[in-house]
Amino acid sequence: MTESDAEDRKPQSDEARSAFVPPSGVVTQAPPVEEESSTTSEFALPKGYGVTQTPVADPAEGSAFSTPRTYSSRDAPPAFTPPAGIPRVDLIKDAPWQDRMRTMLRMPVADRPVPETVQKAEDEGPAVPRVLDLTLRVGELLLAGGEGAEDVDAAMFAVCRSYGLDRCEPNVTFTLLSISYQPSLVDDPVTASRTVRRRGTDYTRLAAVYQLVDDISDDETEVSLEEAYRRLAEIRRNRHPYSGWVLTLATGLLAGAASVLVGGDIIVFVAAVVGAMLGDRLAWLCAGRGLPEFYQFTVAAMPAAALGAALTVAHVDVRASAVITGGLFALLPGRALVAGVQDGLTGYYITASARLLEVMYFYVGIVIGVLVVLYFGVTLGAQLNPDAALLSTNRPLWQIGASMLLTLAFAVLLQQERSTVLIVTLNGGVAWSVYGAMHYAGGISPVASTAVAAGLVGLFGQLMSRYRFASALPYTTAAIGPLLPGSATYFGLLAIAQNDVDQGLVQLSKAAALAMAIAIGMNLGSEISRLFLRLPGATAGARRAAKRTRGF
């Protein structure tokens, strides 16, 4: 035997010869004997049934993410396709970025269209940690400024997609922002979070952040990461447009206008202004000492109530209830209430619960402050009349002027841009005119009248936000000031102070119904504007939302 024959007779390795390959010399034409472990499913084709097998062109076609070889769109089973077909996702580029981002946020990740990167990234790809950090900082400013959770989500998603991060999932709660980015299906996700520890109202800063997000998401404007960071730092460093004493004066004017709105005269106006300004200064003093906001609201509610009770004890012929009601108007947290109800209506239930709980704490603080003063006033002989709530104060011209002054003062308290103050002032006058025409002239219930007026405010604000590509809050929040339930809150507290708990609970329930009517009306007005205006869906007219579960 030669050396080459010995090499041929050596057993080959497992890489060259499988255990299932028939050895040499065995006839291979005979069909192999089936083993017991072979597939014998009743769904398998019987032997002898001729089926032309399609050769596999590429092993990658066998992936779980690729279309099966036997799939045919003409013969597709109806069980896996909707009767009307799957709508094609076609986002309109000239639509506002808020609508485009809301549409994609409500889609599953697999259904979202591939982003067209607006901003130029570096050659090695986008700096993922820096993009996520920029996104969180933008979301922090919006959430701290009072923006709704859905709008914060949309802004964060717009920033990520503009820099090429398409597989991003932002998550917004009351005090925590987080975002997760997964580079591919097999890579580990990158997650970052940021805590919002301090909130402050500054709609000028809010408008600047919206402008930055609009520039980042615009395909005709190039904003690099460095430029975005620089602009964001400038927004943070900018001072408020109005000083503290201007805000105190605006608080007094707001209370005075509210007192005229509910039937007060010039003496009532001056008393409400003085009481609200004194309460605001006391609240600033408590804030400087580090007391929580609960105690700040409690202290701020006392001076106006004390002045109203003092005027009654001094037998001054004025409506003391109007003085106390004006002070309550300056304290009621309408902005937080509207934001909380809006978050609940749009599906952000955790954030909505936290916001409404915050509103409840503020409201309880106001109640405690007013009740303490009313108890002392009743003890000292103050003749406070709960039946004054039944008196009609139908003075159209005075009330319209007072509502516009109230809205103007509210806009200053919200630190709005001067260019938006006049528009929102007119919006507040229109809102009160609609309410007065329905309630006083038409005899419609105050809850229904409030809901319709707030709906018009929300509709107008959404139209203005679309026209200017900005947030709707500067055009809506101050305009709901004349509709706040200040008088119902006061008369409920007065009835409780006079041991008429049943009547007090009725009035407080009315105040809660009015507050809910304001919040729901504003949200409904915004949604109605989206129903009739062009939305970013070519075939699917409405933005996607959660389906009704029918209770299960």
Side-chain angles (χ1 to χ4, degrees):
M1 183 186 307
T2 62
E3 193 172 307
S4 60
D5 293 337
E7 291 288 340
D8 295 337
R9 291 178 179 269
K10 286 182 180 180
Q12 297 180 349
S13 62
D14 291 340
E15 291 80 359
R17 178 178 180 276
S18 173
F20 298 97
V21 177
S24 58
V26 179
V27 180
T28 58
Q29 284 79 7
V33 180
E34 292 184 356
E35 299 180 359
E36 294 182 359
S37 61
S38 61
T39 303
T40 57
S41 172
E42 60 270 19
F43 297 101
L45 295 177
K47 296 180 180 180
Y49 185 80
V51 178
T52 304
Q53 298 290 339
T54 304
V56 180
D58 189 359
E61 292 185 1
S63 172
F65 301 97
S66 61
T67 305
R69 295 190 302 272
T70 58
Y71 178 82
S72 174
S73 60
R74 182 175 300 178
D75 303 327
F80 299 100
T81 304
I86 300 176
R88 181 173 63 91
V89 178
D90 188 11
L91 300 178
I92 302 173
K93 291 184 178 181
D94 56 350
W97 62 265
Q98 296 97 318
D99 288 336
R100 289 188 281 118
M101 295 304 111
R102 287 192 189 100
T103 302
M104 285 187 286
L105 277 174
R106 292 168 184 248
M107 296 179 185
V109 179
D111 295 345
R112 292 173 184 169
V114 178
E116 297 180 3
T117 304
V118 175
Q119 306 303 329
K120 297 293 187 297
E122 289 80 1
D123 296 336
E124 64 273 8
V128 175
R130 297 194 65 196
V131 172
L132 296 184
D133 179 71
L134 175 67
T135 303
L136 290 174
R137 291 177 183 273
V138 169
E140 178 190 11
L141 287 179
L142 293 178
L143 188 62
E147 191 62 86
E150 185 184 30
D151 295 320
V152 177
D153 249 353
M156 294 172 63
F157 195 69
V159 174
C160 284
R161 287 184 64 88
S162 298
Y163 286 106
L165 307 185
D166 55 333
R167 295 186 181 90
C168 282
E169 288 297 333
N171 186 23
V172 178
T173 58
F174 185 54
T175 58
L176 180 64
L177 296 171
S178 63
I179 187 167
S180 178
Y181 168 67
Q182 190 171 12
S184 66
L185 295 174
V186 297
D187 292 333
D188 295 332
V190 181
T191 304
S193 62
R194 195 173 183 87
T195 302
V196 181
R197 302 188 182 276
R198 187 176 181 180
R199 294 181 299 276
T201 303
D202 189 344
Y203 282 1
T204 300
R205 178 179 295 175
L206 191 72
V209 176
Y210 259 80
Q211 183 61 48
L212 173 61
V213 177
D214 184 48
D215 292 341
I216 291 175
S217 58
D218 188 8
D219 54 356
E220 297 181 358
T221 304
E222 182 178 349
V223 181
S224 63
L225 280 175
E226 288 74 15
E227 176 68 15
Y229 268 107
R230 185 188 63 80
R231 291 179 57 179
L232 198 63
E234 291 180 356
I235 293 173
R236 282 180 171 275
R237 286 195 300 265
N238 283 346
R239 298 178 60 86
H240 300 305
Y242 309 105
S243 62
W245 283 103
V246 174
L247 298 181
T248 301
L249 179 61
T251 302
L253 290 179
L254 191 155
S259 65
V260 175
L261 199 64
V262 295
D265 53 11
I266 185 63
I267 300 178
V268 171
F269 177 84
V270 174
V273 169
V274 173
M277 293 178 64
L278 182 59
D280 183 74
R281 284 289 97 188
L282 289 176
W284 277 95
L285 181 63
C286 294
R289 296 296 184 270
L291 288 179
E293 287 183 295
F294 176 85
Y295 301 106
Q296 297 176 29
F297 274 85
T298 302
V299 172
M302 289 182 175
L307 279 179
L311 290 175
T312 305
V313 173
H315 302 288
V316 180
D317 188 15
V318 295
R319 294 189 63 179
S321 60
V323 178
I324 303 175
T325 301
L328 290 176
F329 265 89
L331 296 175
L332 291 179
R335 174 184 58 86
L337 173 68
V338 172
V341 175
Q342 180 181 358
D343 289 342
L345 294 176
T346 52
Y348 294 84
Y349 300 114
I350 297 178
T351 307
S353 301
R355 288 186 190 271
L356 294 178
L357 185 62
E358 181 189 41
V359 171
M360 187 194 72
Y361 270 101
F362 292 163
Y363 203 81
V364 170
I366 297 171
V367 167
I368 292 176
V370 176
L371 274 181
V372 169
V373 176
L374 290 182
Y375 273 124
F376 279 104
V378 172
T379 304
L380 295 176
Q383 301 296 324
L384 300 172
N385 184 16
D387 296 332
L390 303 177
L391 299 177
S392 176
T393 56
N394 190 5
R395 301 181 299 173
L397 295 180
W398 280 95
Q399 288 178 322
I400 292 176
S403 65
M404 295 179 68
L405 178 60
L406 190 153
T407 306
L408 174 64
F410 203 173
V412 173
L413 286 176
L414 295 174
Q415 301 279 2
Q416 291 192 195
E417 289 181 303
R418 293 178 175 83
S419 59
T420 63
V421 170
L422 178 60
I423 298 175
V424 73
T425 300
L426 295 177
N427 195 14
V430 171
W432 179 259
S433 300
V434 172
Y435 171 81
M438 295 182 63
H439 178 55
Y440 295 112
I444 303 175
S445 68
V447 177
S449 304
T450 301
V452 174
L456 291 178
V457 169
L459 177 62
F460 177 79
Q462 191 62 228
L463 293 176
M464 288 302 300
S465 68
R466 287 170 172 270
Y467 175 72
R468 297 197 173 189
F469 292 91
S471 172
L473 291 182
Y475 305 101
T476 58
T477 305
I480 65 171
L483 304 176
L484 292 176
S487 58
T489 302
Y490 162 69
F491 287 112
L493 299 179
L494 178 60
I496 294 176
Q498 294 180 344
N499 294 325
D500 191 357
V501 180
D502 293 338
Q503 182 64 24
L505 293 179
V506 169
Q507 290 291 335
L508 292 179
S509 300
K510 178 182 176 182
L514 291 174
M516 293 296 293
I518 293 173
I520 295 176
M522 278 192 58
N523 182 264
L524 184 60
S526 300
E527 297 297 330
I528 288 176
S529 68
R530 297 191 182 105
L531 291 177
F532 295 101
L533 296 179
R534 185 174 62 173
L535 291 179
T539 55
R543 57 176 181 164
R544 300 191 178 192
K547 293 183 179 180
R548 185 161 56 104
T549 59
R550 301 182 185 271
F552 53 83

